[in-house]
Amino acid sequence: KADFAAQKRANTTQPVQDVGDEAFFIPANGQLNILYDKSWILITYGKGDQPSAYTLEDALKVAEKVVKGQKS
């Protein structure tokens, strides 16, 4: 949890609600960070080779499947 918080402080982030226990998105690299129970889940998903063009909406679609799978 301390590393998760440090990553959040070290970057320009966008808070994300209703995903895991806590979550934030880093627009510069298109990365969604999710703290879920004792797991830190990183999702970077998008088309092309420019991570800064990856969207939170695309990452959330993947996150929904990943976090749902964690509950099983």
Side-chain angles (χ1 to χ4, degrees), residues 18-48:
D18 304 321
V19 179
D21 299 325
E22 184 178 353
F24 62 89
F25 183 70
I26 304 173
N29 64 7
Q31 186 179 74
L32 177 60
N33 291 255
I34 304 166
L35 188 61
Y36 183 79
D37 196 22
K38 294 182 181 181
S39 298
W40 180 359
I41 303 166
L42 304 174
I43 296 175
T44 304
Y45 175 79
K47 298 175 183 164

Side-chain angles (χ1 to χ4, degrees), residues 4 7-8 11-36 39-46 51-52 54-67:
F4 182 87
Q7 179 73 359
K8 187 176 180 180
N11 292 280
T12 300
T13 63
Q14 175 181 345
V16 178
Q17 302 297 316
D18 304 321
V19 179
D21 299 325
E22 184 178 353
F24 62 89
F25 183 70
I26 304 173
N29 64 7
Q31 186 179 74
L32 177 60
N33 291 255
I34 304 166
L35 188 61
Y36 183 79
S39 298
W40 180 359
I41 303 166
L42 304 174
I43 296 175
T44 304
Y45 175 79
S52 61
Y54 299 170
T55 67
L56 173 58
E57 290 76 22
D58 286 341
L60 284 171
K61 290 175 188 175
V62 176
E64 182 178 323
K65 295 174 191 243
V66 171
V67 173

